[in-house]
Amino acid sequence: MLMNPLFVDTSLNNRLGQEVHLGVYHSQYQGRDYVFVAAPTQQASSFVGKNAEPFAFQLREKFVLDARRLELVEVREVDGATHLLRWRFEWVGNSPLSARSEEINSPGLRATLLQLIDPAQAVAATA
């Protein structure tokens, strides 16, 4: 599920300036810009967390997004289950600061987001 055809292998720079690759998918829904990211499976679960601020900055620039409408959602697969983590930032101008995440547990929001990235998964999650 993590790297379905909607996700595009995208080159970004991590916090150390090194080139890394993420699966990225951008979708607009109800006035919000959802940017879904999936780290390669060999990466540690904290890979996005350690680099959330530089990734958010680069993705906002890449897709020319308004920070007030940006929703960065990390897609993680753990033991065959898909977890969605919403990353929040305090934006100072164009710079994201104070990254923090929360798992999306609301059944309605979870089903909606899964529908955006994988319609078959969304049906299974609500069944």
Side-chain angles (χ1 to χ4, degrees):
M1 175 8 234
L2 278 181
M3 292 298 286
N4 73 33
L6 294 175
F7 283 80
V8 175
D9 183 38
T10 304
S11 174
L12 299 173
N13 292 321
N14 67 11
R15 70 189 188 284
L16 303 174
Q18 301 164 324
E19 182 180 25
V20 295
H21 292 270
L22 288 177
V24 176
Y25 172 62
H26 171 237
S27 180
Q28 293 181 324
Y29 180 74
Q30 293 188 343
R32 306 292 294 169
D33 286 297
Y34 289 90
V35 178
F36 297 92
V37 296
T41 54
Q42 71 270 14
Q43 299 291 343
S45 62
S46 62
F47 178 69
V48 173
K50 290 180 179 177
N51 297 288
E53 291 155 347
F55 289 168
F57 177 82
Q58 292 168 74
L59 291 167
R60 190 198 58 75
E61 294 265 311
K62 177 178 178 58
F63 294 112
V64 191
L65 302 175
D66 181 343
R68 295 170 295 182
R69 294 180 31 197
L70 172 64
E71 295 283 348
L72 182 65
V73 179
E74 178 184 357
V75 182
R76 282 190 199 166
E77 188 138 334
V78 179
D79 297 326
T82 302
H83 297 268
L84 302 174
L85 289 93
R86 175 187 293 152
W87 284 92
R88 301 220 185 240
F89 307 92
E90 295 193 26
W91 290 88
V92 177
N94 291 326
S95 298
L97 303 174
S98 304
R100 60 194 181 285
S101 70
E102 61 189 18
E103 185 160 5
I104 297 171
N105 292 317
S106 163
L109 179 57
R110 185 173 160 70
T112 298
L113 295 177
L114 287 172
Q115 179 71 31
L116 291 174
I117 58 175
D118 187 356
Q121 174 95 3
V123 171
T126 59

